[in-house]
Amino acid sequence: MPTRSAPAASSPKALPAAAGAGAAVTPKSQPQKALEKLGLRRDIDLALHLPLRYEDETRITRLADARDGDMVQVEAQVTHSEITFRPRRQLRVTVDDGSDTCVLRFINFYPSHQKTLSVGARVRVRGEIRGGFVGREMVHPSFRAAGGELATALTPVYPTVAGLPQAYLRKAVLGGLARADLAETLPAEFLSKNLPQPLSSLREALQFLHHPTPDVMLATLEDRSHPAWQRLKAEELLAQQLSQLQARRVRAAMRAPPLRSPVHGPQCTLQEQLLERLPFRLTAAQQRVGTEIAADLTRNAPMHRLLQGDVGSGKTVVAALAAARCMDAGWQCALMAPTEILAEQHFRKLIGWLEPLGIQTAWLTGSQKAKERREALAVIESGAAGLVVGTHAVIQDKVVFKNLALAIIDEQHRFGVAQRLALRSKMTPTSQVGAQPGGEEPHLLMMTATPIPRTLAMSYYADLDVSTIDELPPGRTPIVTKVVSEARRDEVVERIRSQLAEGRQVYWVCPLIEESESVDLINATQTHEALSAALPGTQVGLLHSRMPVAEKKAVMALFTSGQLGVLVSTTVIEVGVDVPNASLMVIEHAERFGLSQLHQLRGRVGRGAAASACVLLYSTGDAPRLGETARARLKAMVETQDGFEIARRDLEIRGPGEFLGARQSGAPLLRFADLATDTELLAWARALAPVMLYNYPELAHRHILRWLGGKAEFLKA
Ligand code: ADP
Ligand code: MG
């Protein structure tokens, strides 16, 4: 009984062959693009793409010998085949290898399945054996006709992404391995130095990991304790240490203008005047980090400092004081923020503080009119503008500073390495991206509200100085956080009503997921309509990322001035928005947000004196309950409001790879080594990296290139 119901498009056979094969200019096929997405460009990148696990296709197991849960390969004859409809439509095939029988079950199947698995056929089947309801079974095993040679090595299974079939990837990786230059970079004396067992050669280690012989203890591959893994981890840790040493050395050789003597003569300096005009006193923490930054700025080597402080801790004023010091010394300062709304907020705040003191500021953004842009560029180039604020527009080629000495980057994790480098290269109009020893660079101050846990800071940001604001300005009331099921939405609306009645304002955030942007837009629009209907007499605003910038700004201005009671928004308010009268934050589908995102969003309230609350609305969709990580995130939000604790838990939930990846840090991530357990190898790498860099510079260079060459910008950072 042939079946035609499976949609042809999802049949594996229906996949298009590599596009345009044989044509003169071959467009990149999907798997090729996926390879690039994984960063697998060079032969060596492919060779260093190591298996996640292995499958043993070297032998045939007798069904009678297979235990429950085993991944086995059997050869057997089909004795029965039928399509059943209970509990749902499926193909059930019984096979017998003489020792026992087993049922193969397929929920998705095609006519080709039935053909290969027709009664009487002998087949080779691979799958996990399970004790099913009616006997032993394999669900969706792989299969083909019986016979043919058995593999002589374990079959590697590589980490992959959607659109990159395992077979294609395997072929690409093994091809890369065969072509790659695997010449040794470690000096022979390093191989056994302070290590319990000497390291094998890179070539041997890679050959082995891609084709392990069947006699290996699989456990040593899985927990990565096998000597071949040790070699790879040692290599990786050494590359990380070398690149950081090198970056530090390059930076130490750079020059920056020491920002010392005020040129304002006997009057008060800008800094002093700014401090006097502030409507508040600096917290002790703000004063401390201010002193740290000031000390850096007086040196003639470029500052390279990360200012971390929780949401609302008052980083902006610290940045403004640094800018004032820079202008006091007669130099220009630039401040770059990731979004236009955030940049504009900084701009207004800084204008409010600095223009009364006679400072001219310039504003640069992608959306401004040509004439406005031309005028801004002119005052930046002439030096009339002491302070330049803007978005990515600040780093465009056309922007030429007269004498930039300090670059400040807000929410630094939202910028890539290349953008930070571009800002640093603005010091002299002719300089290229990438530092030249002895060249000039501005001082760099990066700010973030997502602190880096200490363990990571030590290994990944070893060449960065860190200042931390560890207290909030006084008078803040803690934010009460509640996790509420979507089913109780009405109660939340009631809560909004009572806040509005007290003259407060409310944020309602809807998630935005890139792949389904339009769907989420509909969500936000519907929520906006529903809230408008439920709250007659209240102005409800809508803000989403697809709106033109001018419209966004207009809505934001209405909310800031208090004319809107409720602001429904996709994540555009994620960073830096400051409306002290807002006292309630509702986050819809909170289960879809990352932990640091939730924390940042929550930080939008609790900025004034009013008691504030954050409601995390969750929905489990079709599932009976929330997934484990989503639950862990929401729990963390309820339990703590401390950004450092949040960061620590985030790291725990996500692991360092994703944690750092999200920041586009540019720091080479450790793929293989684990800082927590590979302490011996880390010590080895830390001890030998300086030796290698000074005694074997050529080998060190090749080693860094081999491991990090695909991330070339980092080498210059
Ligand atoms: P963030 O660190 O998140 O960028 P902001 O710089 O936006 O925080 O500051 C948050 C709010 O706190 C602003 O309204 C700011 O004016 C105010 N603020 C900053 N420092 C102090 C202080 N020492 N005392 C009182 N309010 C302060
Ligand atoms: Mg800020």
Side-chain angles (χ1 to χ4, degrees), residues 280-281 283 286 311-316 349 473 476 578 607:
F280 48 75
R281 289 170 59 95
T283 61
Q286 283 170 320
V311 201
S313 61
K315 295 184 290 294
T316 316
K349 199 156 230 170
R476 300 272 166 86
D578 191 18
R607 303 199 145 209

Side-chain angles (χ1 to χ4, degrees), residues 587-642:
I587 304 176
E588 190 171 347
H589 279 300
E591 77 282 356
R592 293 197 201 161
F593 289 89
L595 191 48
S596 71
Q597 238 182 342
L598 289 173
H599 178 63
Q600 295 243 352
L601 284 169
R602 176 171 59 182
R604 299 306 116 211
V605 295
R607 303 199 145 209
S612 295
C614 173
V615 173
L616 304 173
L617 263 183
Y618 72 91
S619 145
T620 59
D622 296 335
R625 49 191 297 182
L626 276 180
E628 202 172 314
T629 54
R631 260 212 318 274
R633 287 195 297 259
L634 300 185
K635 183 160 173 279
M637 285 292 290
V638 171
E639 287 175 356
T640 180
Q641 216 179 305
D642 172 352

Side-chain angles (χ1 to χ4, degrees), residues 23 113 167 220 331 359 364 410 434 439 499 506 533 552 576 621 646 679 686 710:
H113 281 63
T220 64
W331 293 78
I359 293 297
L364 273 182
D410 197 15
Q499 287 300 304
V506 177
K552 271 192 215 169
I646 294 265
T679 43
R686 285 176 87 113

